[in-house]
Amino acid sequence: MITTHVRRLAAPLVAVLVGALLVAAPAPAQAAGGRYAADIRRTEYGIPHILAKDHGGLGYGYGYAFAQDNLCVMASWALTLRGERSRYFGAEAMSDDAIDPISNLASDVYYKSVQASGVLRRVLARPAPHGPSAELRALVDGYVAGFNRYLRDTGVARLPDPACRGKEWVGPITATDVWMNLLDLGRLAGSSSFKEAIAASGHAQENEKESDQPKRKVPPKTVTAPGSNAYALGHEATRDGHGMLLADPHFPWNGSRRFYQVHLTIPGVFDVSGGSLYGTPVVQIGHNASVAWTHTVSHAQRFTLYQLKLVPGQRTTYLVDGRPEPMGRQEVSVTVRDAQGATRAVTTTLYTSRYGPVLASGWTEETAIALADVNAANLRFADEWLAMGTARDLAALRRAQDTYQGMPFVYTLAADAGGEAYFADASVVPHVTDEQAERCRAKDDPEMLILDGSTSACLWGKDADALEPGIFGPAAQPRLTRTDYVTNANASPWLTNPNAPLTQYPRIYGDTRTERDLRTRVGLDMIAQRLSGDDGLGAPGFTLETLQQTATGKRNLGAELLRPDLRALCRAKPVMTASDGEKVDVRRACATLAAWDGRARLSSRGAILWREFFLGLNGPQRRPDGAVVPPKSWWKVPFDVEHPLTTPRGLDIANPAVATALANAVQVFTAHDLPLTLTPGQAQRYGAVPVPGCTEGEGCFDRIRTGGSLSKKGRYPDVNTGSSFLMAVELTPTGPRTRTVLTYSLSANSASPHHADQTELFSRGQWVAERFTEAEIKAYPGLATRSLR
């Protein structure tokens, strides 16, 4: 998991946010003559294999299949992208954004402002590679036509999903909805993280007229974006000398940011299988016959903030190079439905600058803050994924990335049948050199890069090999090609492979020589043990089977590093003092933790007790007098930059916070009559299905995250984030061997037979043997084919 920090946009790029033309939503798109053709063939667990003769037909079949499984999610998300949630669900209800939900009204104001800026119209008017290719446009148009064909054939009143059956807000989607979805995906680590602060900018203006939107302060945010794990293995790391890949993205388990598993084929042209985020007609994580790729969320910054110096007495005019510039104004009108069903228009004024939108937070009489987002006008990544899908080796994949330079916020890890492994931060990064960052820093804030907006000398720079101004070109990107391995678990590129540390890149891409989190460390240790054969899985080197076993081993590195010292504390101190001063007998708890298998399997007795102890150890400490103090480091051996894979380690049992954390955890279990042996299978669910796994903070590789704290009944809220689309690929000379599991299953429809079938597989630690070739697909006994014409 990665926390995004603050970043920015050069004037030529930021101008796309300032326009004032509304984008008219076109009618549902069709190909020339309105003709599309595709076959949808479904194999195990409902996985669709789309076969067509061209990109339009491919999109048509994909859109139809996706609508069969998830129409309600897309129908709701289309309302969000149009800024129409308040019309149907009221202004105060929360939006359906799975990553950063805010009020419907704030969400609607933000998305209406994006429409009003004209950014989408301008990007779509550009030729490839700056704008979409003809193939991508045909794919989008076909996708829309296929989705709408299913809706038309079925009818709103007869939809199988009770979540939206017969609802007035369900209707056809448009190509604009799909393009907006792609644009919003690109902005996930930028503008979309600041929706509320952008939408409320008018309310930071005390001299502006009152509007119907309630005033509130919107603080700056540190946004937690989805994360992932990935291994790309070269021939030196695999037992049979084949290239291999592990994809383990950690995206939300609900809503529009889920993955949909699909296989897309145009014979002789395109043949890609993998995971595709909802509403996007391209595969983001997948493989073809000879190349496999995945992504993890990058540490690089996607935006910068600019501190504007305001003209005295003029809160909407700022200075650049000593000359005044008035802020742009956007009037955004949102239709709101009240509790009685009546609707009214709410109009909000937003403010923009040459850098981008002005935020509600940080606005004073002297200064204001503007957001510059490097992905504000980026759709290039969709064509980049299409081009990566046709690559036959890593050299071709690199050419695709260099051609489009559009990856929005992710690293790329890939392997090919030749046995090479590749890592790159080929993502779009603001061109801010280390020198410029220091020279232009407006505030000394370790969490945020806030640049001086009063001088044009602090605009983003330009590289000769960059496709667009204001971004770094490929020559500056951290890249590494190996024949053993590359890996990432959302840390910076530094230890992608510890045998070849990456250090020569601008700091905006991430840090070097700093402490690695436990998830990164356990992932590297898993590789080291597999290459040495010390993990109990047989002879050294990866096979497809040992790659699967390694990825889902449910190790807890925190416990491995700390439990020996905790045992010593237990022997020395069988009674410990809780935060409230109560003396707690911890002997049974200590015995439980000593007997625990150290994993997070469904049946691991003591894993939940360990988690509650570990969470308490890392949380604020409460003294007996009630005062809350920040936690003090409890590591016995601190981080040593010369030994980054083995430090910090050990538990400082002399630190009183350690005994207090254990006493507090035992106290809670006892008070609620919970068994100290509580297992993940008892405490964690997704619907009715028990879910194994533990949190990344504990040092778990295939991590999960629940929606809140342990209840008095010994249950966490449902799992809402974590390993989502697991894919292990071996690229053999005769074709790929692939195992997958979509952890939350194919359909969000609770009435679908594919609503929880793969979730049950994931619960049991099982995978699906993928069918990729025509022979494999046709050999499935229950093959169901739907031909669309």
Side-chain angles (χ1 to χ4, degrees), residues 242-244 287-292 415-418 729-733 735-737:
H242 302 151
M244 299 177 69
H287 70 88
N288 57 33
S290 56
V291 177
D416 65 12
V729 185
E730 181 180 14
L731 298 160
T732 78
R737 296 178 61 226

Side-chain angles (χ1 to χ4, degrees), residues 92-131:
E92 299 304 318
M94 298 303 285
S95 71
D96 61 346
D97 190 321
I99 294 174
D100 184 28
I102 59 176
S103 74
N104 281 338
L105 183 55
S107 175
D108 289 344
V109 169
Y110 168 78
Y111 285 107
K112 288 284 189 183
S113 75
V114 176
Q115 294 175 27
S117 73
V119 55
L120 188 56
R121 173 181 54 79
R122 289 189 290 274
V123 176
L124 293 178
R126 302 186 73 187
H130 304 278

Side-chain angles (χ1 to χ4, degrees), residues 232-235 241-244 292 393-395 398 414-422 481-484 486 731:
L233 307 173
H235 63 80
H242 302 151
M244 299 177 69
D393 53 29
L394 290 184
R398 285 192 291 267
D416 65 12
E420 282 196 319
Y422 167 70
T481 300
R482 301 279 297 183
T483 52
D484 51 0
V486 292
L731 298 160

Side-chain angles (χ1 to χ4, degrees), residues 610-626:
W610 175 269
R611 182 184 307 175
E612 292 303 302
F613 158 68
F614 191 86
L615 292 174
L617 191 61
N618 285 276
Q621 309 296 320
R622 185 177 295 277
R623 298 197 307 245
D625 62 4

Side-chain angles (χ1 to χ4, degrees), residues 181-266:
N181 187 35
L182 288 166
L183 186 71
D184 193 63
L185 173 62
R187 294 174 168 214
L188 186 62
S191 303
S192 289
S193 301
F194 285 83
K195 293 189 293 286
E196 198 167 17
I198 293 170
S201 66
H203 301 293
Q205 272 308 302
E206 59 189 21
N207 295 330
E208 290 298 307
K209 64 183 180 181
E210 294 286 338
S211 83
D212 292 323
Q213 185 175 356
K215 284 190 176 183
R216 62 190 181 283
K217 270 193 149 181
V218 181
K221 328 175 39 167
T222 305
V223 177
T224 303
S228 308
N229 302 320
Y231 290 169
L233 307 173
H235 63 80
E236 290 184 27
T238 62
R239 199 176 298 170
D240 294 328
H242 302 151
M244 299 177 69
L245 182 98
L246 171 71
D248 180 17
H250 299 166
F251 264 54
W253 281 32
N254 300 292
S256 60
R257 299 304 184 198
R258 299 203 332 169
F259 282 99
Y260 185 76
Q261 189 171 358
V262 68
H263 181 192
L264 303 174
T265 304
I266 303 173

Side-chain angles (χ1 to χ4, degrees), residues 455-614:
T455 170
S456 57
C458 293
L459 288 170
W460 296 345
K462 182 179 180 181
D463 277 347
D465 61 341
L467 184 65
E468 297 275 6
I471 67 174
F472 282 106
Q477 296 168 350
R479 297 191 181 198
L480 185 63
T481 300
R482 301 279 297 183
T483 52
D484 51 0
Y485 71 88
V486 292
T487 181
N488 186 264
N490 307 124
S492 70
W494 176 39
L495 295 182
T496 294
N497 184 310
N499 296 318
L502 292 169
T503 58
Q504 301 302 312
Y505 50 84
R507 283 198 301 272
I508 198 168
Y509 278 96
D511 53 22
T512 61
R513 299 175 63 80
T514 57
E515 184 177 331
R516 303 291 92 173
D517 70 332
L518 291 179
R519 179 158 61 95
T520 293
R521 288 173 59 186
V522 75
L524 286 165
D525 189 59
M526 286 156 51
I527 291 177
Q529 288 197 22
R530 180 80 298 269
L531 296 185
S532 65
D534 293 333
D535 57 3
L537 298 179
F542 282 94
T543 64
L544 182 61
E545 291 71 25
T546 58
L547 179 58
Q548 295 172 252
Q549 292 173 294
T550 299
T552 55
K554 305 292 184 271
R555 283 180 59 184
N556 187 315
L557 184 61
E560 294 173 18
L561 295 174
L562 303 177
R563 205 163 38 154
D565 290 318
L566 185 64
R567 290 196 189 103
L569 178 62
C570 285
R571 288 192 296 268
K573 205 169 185 179
V575 176
M576 302 180 189
T577 305
S579 296
D580 62 4
E582 179 185 350
K583 303 296 184 182
V584 179
D585 187 331
V586 299
R587 285 176 292 182
R588 285 181 53 241
C590 289
T592 298
L593 293 177
W596 169 41
D597 62 9
R599 306 276 175 153
R601 302 183 177 109
L602 287 180
S603 59
S604 294
R605 296 160 60 89
I608 302 303
L609 175 62
W610 175 269
R611 182 184 307 175
E612 292 303 302
F613 158 68
F614 191 86

Side-chain angles (χ1 to χ4, degrees), residues 639-656:
F639 173 69
D640 181 350
V641 70
E642 300 304 323
H643 301 92
L645 303 184
T646 56
T647 61
R649 66 176 181 271
L651 187 62
D652 178 11
I653 59 177
N655 185 332

